[in-house]
Amino acid sequence: MTILCAFGSYAAAAVDADGVPVPRSVVRKPVNGRYHFVTEQGDTALMVVLNEVTVFPPMKFKNKKQEEFYWRTVRDVKRTLPYAKLIAETLLETYEYMETLPTQKEREAHLTQMEKEIFAQYKPHLKKFTKSQGKMLVKLINRETNQSSYSILKAFLGTFRAGFWQTFGKFFGVSLKTSYNPDKNEDDAIVERVCILVEQGQL
């Protein structure tokens, strides 16, 4: 069983110019399912279940600075959202797999080896992120996991080596305690809008 099973299950077959696997598209398919059923009259009918679609009013910018922030956010979300989803899924699968290991020693050995292989495979790609993209990645990890990277680090403290998360801070000068609150923070609300539009294939 490969240590990178979680990354392997999510990553697409495509690779970038450096041979680093590129995460699959985050765009949701419009159709969630198709079902056949028989009506009371005995006819066979098809029911199509569509995914929820969020419709936003046209974006009205208060000033040039906000417009620049919006388009920079579009660029950064498109670059980092696939990796945030990848990391969130990897954390979940890692936790579930660790639960099957009988001893603390085996869990620590697994996580140490996983961290080593993840960095060997994805560090070249992450190093190409700009500082703003690094900050966005940490923010979107919060969005996908409902907790800050710092909280995740605390959850794995004693088993999951701190280097995995410290690397983000080291590369990009970001705080692992970065919060994400689109209900109260205007900038985060714009980020959430962009994320939803990207997921719906509208950006």
Side-chain angles (χ1 to χ4, degrees):
M1 179 177 182
T2 176
I3 296 296
L4 289 178
C5 60
F7 271 68
S9 66
Y10 188 90
V15 296
D16 65 11
D18 298 316
V20 179
V22 179
R24 71 189 182 198
S25 172
V26 299
V27 178
R28 296 195 304 261
K29 295 180 179 179
V31 176
N32 190 34
R34 294 179 175 87
Y35 306 93
H36 289 90
F37 65 96
V38 179
T39 67
E40 293 180 356
Q41 292 74 31
D43 296 321
T44 300
L46 172 66
M47 179 173 64
V48 177
V49 180
L50 302 177
N51 278 317
E52 182 179 299
V53 175
T54 301
V55 179
F56 294 97
M59 189 73 188
K60 295 181 179 180
F61 302 109
K62 296 179 180 178
N63 48 51
K64 185 67 175 178
K65 183 178 180 181
Q66 189 184 58
E67 182 178 4
E68 291 174 349
F69 172 79
Y70 177 82
W71 291 112
R72 185 170 62 251
T73 297
V74 171
R75 178 200 65 189
D76 292 347
V77 166
K78 284 186 173 183
R79 185 75 186 277
T80 60
L81 185 57
Y83 287 92
K85 290 181 179 294
L86 174 63
I87 288 168
E89 183 168 322
T90 299
L91 285 171
L92 176 61
E93 293 191 12
T94 297
Y95 176 78
E96 290 176 346
Y97 179 70
M98 282 180 57
E99 291 294 294
T100 69
L101 299 176
T103 67
Q104 182 69 15
K105 183 177 180 180
E106 288 179 281
R107 289 191 285 270
E108 290 180 358
H110 168 75
L111 290 170
T112 299
Q113 182 63 22
M114 188 192 75
E115 179 191 22
K116 179 181 178 181
E117 295 191 22
I118 286 174
F119 277 120
Q121 190 169 18
Y122 285 93
K123 184 177 177 179
H125 202 85
L126 295 177
K127 286 179 69 175
K128 293 182 179 180
F129 283 8
T130 64
K131 185 174 181 179
S132 66
Q133 288 166 353
K135 290 181 177 180
M136 183 63 71
L137 178 60
V138 172
K139 186 178 290 288
L140 295 185
I141 289 172
N142 190 314
R143 177 183 188 259
E144 296 300 316
T145 62
N146 292 318
Q147 55 187 321
S148 70
S149 296
Y150 180 76
S151 297
I152 295 171
L153 175 62
K154 285 183 63 177
F156 282 92
L157 192 62
T159 54
F160 194 69
R161 294 179 57 196
F164 182 83
W165 298 107
Q166 288 173 338
T167 298
F168 290 131
K170 182 178 179 181
F171 283 166
F172 310 117
V174 299
S175 170
L176 297 182
K177 295 183 180 180
T178 299
S179 62
Y180 184 69
N181 194 337
D183 293 330
K184 296 182 179 180
N185 183 284
E186 186 176 355
D187 287 349
D188 286 353
I190 292 177
V191 172
E192 182 65 18
R193 174 187 176 123
V194 171
C195 285
I196 292 172
L197 290 175
V198 168
E199 290 170 337
Q200 293 180 170
Q202 294 176 298
L203 276 177

